[in-house]
């Protein structure tokens, strides 16, 4: 049962698609304090909290503070309270009560889950205006289903987007991109897409292609398509200010850019230098920007990633002016403890400066809102612009789309990637822990930069990370400019990388089938063990194993130099220890704790009793997977225990 409660005067977010009449009584479970703009609940000792989408720390969110305030922050440290997303849905499981809650408010909101007081859960609002949905159900899975039903079906990508994608910030030319494709093909390693980062553009201008470095782009896209490799360009939120640049000029003419209080267009800066931000919240601006994707679609492009849409701001013209003026005051001074740190803070405050987010306004649903009041809707509406346009431009065809910033509602238009992580073992674990919370909130087509974006990856970390990444719908190896090159063919043990990539393709029939069922039934693709075993005290504490779909559990190795790991089985399971598609050990393990060996090149898959796990013969492209050759690994069941979903992978 879903009940809606209204606090104050909430701004509509378009995240909920069902119309639910508000209740008149008091909000259940939490006490509301209007003065403090907060809701408070006393948690019992054993209470656990799940959800909130893409955040730091573990699966059970108790014991920390999470602030929904979409942020461009490349340091996903344990102490960070905000990342790129606001996905304000959580599940509370106490001794005597369990419920789900969706806090629908587009501004800043904090979830203090036992941070200030270990026994108190407070939700603290910047503006005490929100639609709150309280969901009761038979089980955690049931509560999630009810929630997902009210927010609408998750986005479905084309099936080829389940193939492997190679990305790198610094593919400078079509020649370099072709070399990447050649290397994969020459080494017989599967690949379905190569991503184009900002360097394909002409001086970082959206919807342009650099003619010198990517000459005859259309022909190049065609050439790659003929090899069944998709090119996926990035689109950034800021539009370069430049006379003669059509996107800029149209934006000015159509009055599509965000403005300051005095009516001037905001001048911010990102990759291309000074930019204007389209007002994605305004219907006509959204339609205009969305139509721009056609420029690239007409060149044969069928997938995109939307970036810097929190929005990330290197500086605004206004703040930079303030900083330069203030710097004058420090010149020639003997800087002491106070003044030196004040000076340092001043200079360090330039990018993503909180006050800058209060300098501009949106025209939204017939009203004018200061940006910070609707901040968390910006990336959502950029991706919505694209999604709505795809429906107009190619109504029958699926286009790949995922975004960095998000809000619930965006899950209907695209997936997400988890932003600028680092080549750290702890970020491999973070990837594992973020997946179920993303599943819960409807962001099914998601994944992290495999191998880590910043910092230099090592071969063992990349291998372990890939062994987990082969289970995430978005399966992309991405790294930052200036870091060690991270394409699989650059490492010593190419054979193991090939085998692991092949396993991904062997598992695609299952992953795609389970993904589509999760979309259809509003289910989670990734579930913590306790979602299926709520009464199992051991399962409740497991934070590094996940059920993936109905038939399997994964237990990735995420520690340096480990040659195995402890695994808890909440039921008897059949272990498949894969070295490759046709080289694997099979062992039946009883419910309980086990130490399971897993050499660096081995992938552990646990098949559940009474379930079947389909495995296809690997192929180098998703389209070449031969479904007639699928075998089933069954544990005390027949293959009829599994219903394999498939479709043409491209029509909507
Ligand atoms: C941002 C993105 C990253 C991309 C880079 C350059 O940091 O998160 O994925 O490579 O910008 O476009």
């Amino acid at each position: 049962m879903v009940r809606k409660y209204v606090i104050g005067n909430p701004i509509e977010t378009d995240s909920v698609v069902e119309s639910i009449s508000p209740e008149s009584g008091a909000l259940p479970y939490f006490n509301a304090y209007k003065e403090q703009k907060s809701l408070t609940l006393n948690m019992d000792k054993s209470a656990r909290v799940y959800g909130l989408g893409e955040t730091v720390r573990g699966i059970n969110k108790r014991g920390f503070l999470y602030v929904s305030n979409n942020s461009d922050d490349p340091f996903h440290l344990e102490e960070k309270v905000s990342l790129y997303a606001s996905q304000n849905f959580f599940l509370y499981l106490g001794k005597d009560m369990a419920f789900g809650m969706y806090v629908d408010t587009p501004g800043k909101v904090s979830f203090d889950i036992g941070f200030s007081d270990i026994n108190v859960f407070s939700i603290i609002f910047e503006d005490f205006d929100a639609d709150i949905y309280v969901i009761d159900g038979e089980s955690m899975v049931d509560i999630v289903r009810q929630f997902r039903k009210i927010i609408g079906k998750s986005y479905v990508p084309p099936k080829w987007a389940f193939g492997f994608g190679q990305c790198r910030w610094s593919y400078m030319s079509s020649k370099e991109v072709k070399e990447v494709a050649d290397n994969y093909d020459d080494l017989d390693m599967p690949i379905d897409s190569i991503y184009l980062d900002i360097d394909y553009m002409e001086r970082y201008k959206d919807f342009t292609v650099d003619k010198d470095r990517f000459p005859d782009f259309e022909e190049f896209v065609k050439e790659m398509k003929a090899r069944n490799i998709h090119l996926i360009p990035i689109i950034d939120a800021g539009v370069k200010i430049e006379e003669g640049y059509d996107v800029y000029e149209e934006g000015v003419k159509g009055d599509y850019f965000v403005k300051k209080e005095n009516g001037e267009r905001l001048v911010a800066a990102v990759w291309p230098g000074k930019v204007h931000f389209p007002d994605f919240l305004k219907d006509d601006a959204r339609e205009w920007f969305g139509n721009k994707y056609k420029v690239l679609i007409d060149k044969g492009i069928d997938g995109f990633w939307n970036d810097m849409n929190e929005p990330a701001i290197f500086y605004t013209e206004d703040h930079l002016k303030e900083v330069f003026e203030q710097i004058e005051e420090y010149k020639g001074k003997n800087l002491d403890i106070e003044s030196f740190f004040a000076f340092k803070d001043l200079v360090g405050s330039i990018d993503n400066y909180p006050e800058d987010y209060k300098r501009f306004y949106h025209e939204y649903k017939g009203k004018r809102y200061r940006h910070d009041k609707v901040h968390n809707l910006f990336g959502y509406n950029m991706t919505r612009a694209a999604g709505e346009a795809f429906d107009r431009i190619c109504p029958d065809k699926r286009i790949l789309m995922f975004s960095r910033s998000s809000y619930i509602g965006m899950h209907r238009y695209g997936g997400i990637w988890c932003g600028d992580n680092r080549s750290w073992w702890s970020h491999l674990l973070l990837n594992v822990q973020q997946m179920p919370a993303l599943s819960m909130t409807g962001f099914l087509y998601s994944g992290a930069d495999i191998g880590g974006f910043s910092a230099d990856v090592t071969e063992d970390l990349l291998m372990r990370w890939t062994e987990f990444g082969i289970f995430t719908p978005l399966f992309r190896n991405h790294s930052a400019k200036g870091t060690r090159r991270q394409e699989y063919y650059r490492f010593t043990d190419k054979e193991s990388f090939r085998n692991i990539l092949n396993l991904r393709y062997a598992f695609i029939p299952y992953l795609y089938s389970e993904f589509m069922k999760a979309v259809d039934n509003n289910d989670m693709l990734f579930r913590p063990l306790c979602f299926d075993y709520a009464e199992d005290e051991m399962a409740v504490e497991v934070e590094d194993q996940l059920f993936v779909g109905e038939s399997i559990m994964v237990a990735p190795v995420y520690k340096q130099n480990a040659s195995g790991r402890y695994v808890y089985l909440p039921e008897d399971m059949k272990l498949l220890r894969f070295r490759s598609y046709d080289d694997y050990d099979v062992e039946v393990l009883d419910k309980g704790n086990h130490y399971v060996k897993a050499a660096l090149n081995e992938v552990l898959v646990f098949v559940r009793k009474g379930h079947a796990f389909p495995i296809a013969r690997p192929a180098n492209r998703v389209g070449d997977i031969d479904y007639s050759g699928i075998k089933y690994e069954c544990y005390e069941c027949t293959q009829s225990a599994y219903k394999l979903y498939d479709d043409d992978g491209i029509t909507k």
Side-chain angles (χ1 to χ4, degrees):
M1 186 182 52
V2 183
R3 284 171 292 168
K4 176 179 176 179
Y5 296 84
V6 179
I7 294 176
N9 281 310
I11 301 172
E12 265 182 75
T13 64
D14 294 341
S15 56
V16 170
V17 292
E18 279 191 9
S19 109
I20 300 167
S21 313
E23 305 284 325
S24 48
L27 181 75
Y29 306 120
F30 281 84
N31 291 319
Y33 300 95
K34 205 171 166 195
E35 297 281 285
Q36 287 91 345
K37 299 184 190 168
S38 68
L39 306 174
T40 298
L41 161 76
N42 289 321
M43 297 189 284
D44 64 70
K45 288 262 176 304
S46 65
R48 290 171 276 131
V49 179
Y50 298 101
L52 295 182
E54 187 190 1
T55 51
V56 295
R57 301 207 175 200
I59 293 177
N60 176 359
K61 307 313 292 182
R62 184 168 182 165
F64 199 57
L65 173 71
Y66 310 88
V67 181
S68 288
N69 181 37
N70 295 357
S71 302
D72 160 36
D73 189 332
F75 294 98
H76 307 169
L77 304 170
E78 231 177 282
E79 72 206 47
K80 291 299 166 83
V81 294
S82 305
L83 294 178
Y84 311 87
S86 295
Q87 295 148 338
N88 304 336
F89 170 72
F90 64 84
L91 269 172
Y92 178 89
L93 271 121
K95 204 154 66 133
D96 311 311
M97 61 187 184
F99 62 91
M101 188 179 263
Y102 174 43
V103 180
D104 189 13
T105 182
K108 200 193 246 184
V109 55
S110 305
F111 296 87
D112 179 337
I113 313 178
F115 172 73
S116 302
D117 177 333
I118 190 136
N119 295 316
V120 179
F121 183 172
S122 305
I123 305 175
I124 307 134
F125 296 77
E126 193 122 302
D127 293 305
F128 206 40
D129 302 306
D131 283 325
I132 299 195
Y133 298 85
V134 178
I135 307 163
D136 298 299
E138 283 164 14
S139 63
M140 294 188 249
V141 169
D142 176 44
I143 293 171
V144 170
R145 266 187 208 142
Q146 293 187 56
F147 167 62
R148 295 267 299 285
K149 184 161 177 285
I150 66 162
I151 59 169
K153 291 251 152 92
S154 297
Y155 159 80
V156 175
K159 189 175 175 187
W160 56 258
F162 282 76
F164 166 63
Q166 180 65 59
C167 190
R168 165 89 181 170
W169 171 15
S170 73
Y171 288 152
M172 300 308 293
S173 63
S174 46
K175 192 169 156 274
E176 197 175 338
V177 171
K178 195 174 161 296
E179 273 164 23
V180 173
D182 291 347
N183 277 315
Y184 274 98
D185 281 351
D186 291 351
L187 285 165
D188 201 22
M189 289 178 168
I191 186 164
D192 270 82
S193 42
I194 299 180
Y195 287 78
L196 303 179
D197 207 317
I198 47 174
D199 306 293
Y200 80 89
M201 296 184 221
E202 184 199 313
R203 284 176 297 119
Y204 315 118
K205 293 189 300 196
D206 277 341
F207 310 112
T208 68
V209 176
D210 189 286
K211 290 189 187 56
D212 297 327
R213 291 179 291 106
F214 288 83
D216 206 350
F217 187 66
E218 215 171 318
E219 194 47 45
F220 179 52
V221 176
K222 217 189 259 167
E223 193 189 307
M224 297 303 280
K225 265 275 169 65
R227 296 169 66 169
N228 283 320
I229 293 181
H230 301 258
L231 297 179
I232 321 293
I234 194 170
I235 303 293
D236 283 317
V239 171
K240 185 174 174 66
I241 300 174
E242 187 180 273
E243 296 301 327
Y245 166 38
D246 57 349
V247 183
Y248 162 74
E249 290 189 344
E250 284 169 26
V252 170
K253 190 155 165 252
D255 194 19
Y256 299 139
F257 295 128
V258 295
K259 287 187 271 187
K260 299 190 289 186
E261 196 163 17
N262 64 8
E264 287 172 11
R265 286 183 291 276
L266 176 84
V267 178
V270 202
W271 309 115
K274 290 182 185 172
V275 300
H276 289 321
F277 290 123
D279 187 352
F280 297 118
L281 277 72
K282 190 165 129 182
D283 295 340
D284 61 351
R286 199 165 60 241
E287 189 178 334
W288 162 72
F289 194 85
N291 287 341
K292 290 281 127 199
Y293 287 80
K294 190 166 182 297
V295 172
L296 292 162
I297 290 176
D298 286 347
K299 295 189 194 305
I301 292 296
D302 47 13
F304 300 89
W305 45 311
N306 278 349
D307 193 20
M308 307 301 268
N309 49 2
E310 294 70 30
I313 299 180
F314 290 177
Y315 62 86
T316 61
E317 206 172 44
D318 299 295
H319 182 51
L320 203 62
K321 192 161 159 265
E322 290 162 6
V323 171
F324 280 132
E325 278 164 13
Q326 286 171 39
I327 278 180
E328 283 298 314
E329 294 169 22
Y330 292 97
K331 264 193 187 161
K333 287 230 173 92
N334 175 358
L335 300 180
D336 62 5
I337 178 168
E338 274 101 29
S339 53
F340 173 69
F341 283 108
F343 170 72
K344 220 171 138 203
D345 286 349
L346 174 70
V347 177
S349 77
I350 298 175
D351 57 335
N352 302 323
Y353 179 56
E355 292 303 306
D356 277 340
Y357 294 92
K358 297 180 182 164
R359 282 187 213 272
F360 59 103
Y361 291 79
H362 294 276
E363 304 291 334
Y364 182 50
K365 297 188 185 285
K367 283 196 188 142
R368 194 156 177 257
Y369 293 98
R370 201 174 72 191
H371 174 80
D372 58 314
K373 305 288 177 197
V374 289
H375 173 71
N376 295 331
L377 300 181
F378 191 78
Y380 163 16
N381 279 281
M382 177 185 180
T383 298
R384 179 178 175 183
E388 288 172 344
F390 298 157
D391 282 340
R392 294 190 298 271
I393 300 164
C394 31
D396 298 323
K397 188 176 157 188
R398 301 182 210 164
I399 301 280
L400 171 61
M401 165 52 68
F402 56 92
S403 165
R404 193 170 73 173
S405 179
S406 65
Y407 186 85
I408 287 170
M410 202 205 84
H411 72 288
R412 300 192 296 270
Y413 302 98
I416 60 123
W417 90 98
C418 302
D420 297 346
N421 58 8
R422 301 181 83 80
S423 298
W424 289 346
W425 290 90
S426 60
H427 279 184
L428 161 53
L429 177 61
L430 181 63
N431 185 189
V432 175
Q433 293 176 326
Q434 284 177 330
M435 293 316 291
L438 287 168
S439 261
M440 240 177 267
T441 50
F443 290 84
L444 294 181
Y445 188 79
S446 299
D449 289 348
I450 289 162
F453 174 72
S454 304
D456 292 333
V457 79
T458 55
E459 179 156 349
D460 55 345
L461 174 58
L462 182 61
M463 200 169 283
R464 288 304 194 191
W465 206 322
T466 307
E467 289 166 9
F468 175 65
I470 59 172
F471 296 98
T472 63
L474 168 61
F475 174 47
R476 182 178 81 148
N477 172 333
H478 180 34
S479 56
K481 191 174 184 163
T483 61
R484 178 178 186 176
R485 297 253 161 192
Q486 205 165 287
E487 296 84 6
Y488 291 113
Y489 51 79
R490 295 185 189 273
F491 294 87
T492 310
D493 189 359
K494 294 179 185 45
E495 193 183 339
S496 293
F497 279 121
R498 182 188 306 112
N499 287 337
I500 298 164
L501 289 170
N502 276 334
L503 282 176
R504 163 64 169 209
Y505 282 70
F507 299 162
I508 281 178
Y510 175 73
L511 292 172
Y512 186 66
S513 170
E514 289 304 300
F515 178 92
M516 294 302 280
K517 287 181 205 166
V519 171
D520 255 7
N521 305 329
N522 294 316
D523 271 331
M524 294 164 67
L525 182 62
F526 293 93
R527 294 181 314 283
L529 303 197
C530 63
F531 273 58
D532 293 28
Y533 287 93
E535 306 301 325
D536 180 330
E537 284 176 12
M538 286 282 219
V540 157
E541 304 229 332
V542 175
E543 294 244 333
D544 56 1
Q545 301 171 208
L546 298 169
F547 287 120
V548 184
E550 66 173 57
S551 301
I552 63 168
M553 181 187 83
V554 296
V557 176
Y558 55 90
K559 287 184 182 155
Q560 193 176 345
N561 298 318
S563 53
R565 54 162 289 169
Y566 286 95
V567 177
Y568 175 68
L569 305 188
E571 59 189 42
D572 299 348
M573 287 182 175
K574 183 169 165 182
L575 162 66
L576 312 177
R577 185 189 290 106
F578 287 97
R579 282 166 294 279
S580 72
Y581 156 74
D582 47 14
D583 176 17
Y584 59 96
D585 312 322
V586 179
E587 197 182 333
V588 168
L589 297 174
D590 295 339
K591 169 179 159 54
N593 285 302
H594 298 267
Y595 182 81
V596 180
K597 288 240 167 238
L600 183 56
N601 62 340
E602 291 178 328
V603 177
L604 304 175
V605 177
F606 298 83
V607 180
R608 305 181 71 179
K609 203 171 190 168
H611 290 270
F613 177 48
I615 306 170
R617 194 167 295 116
N620 283 347
R621 303 284 187 267
V622 171
D624 294 335
I625 297 171
D626 174 12
Y627 272 61
S628 67
I630 289 178
K631 62 181 177 187
Y632 286 81
E633 271 296 346
C634 300
Y635 179 24
E636 290 195 5
C637 74
T638 58
Q639 74 178 58
S640 62
Y642 189 72
K643 201 166 164 192
L644 184 72
Y645 170 92
D646 194 31
D647 57 23
D648 70 6
I650 196 74
T651 52
K652 283 185 180 166

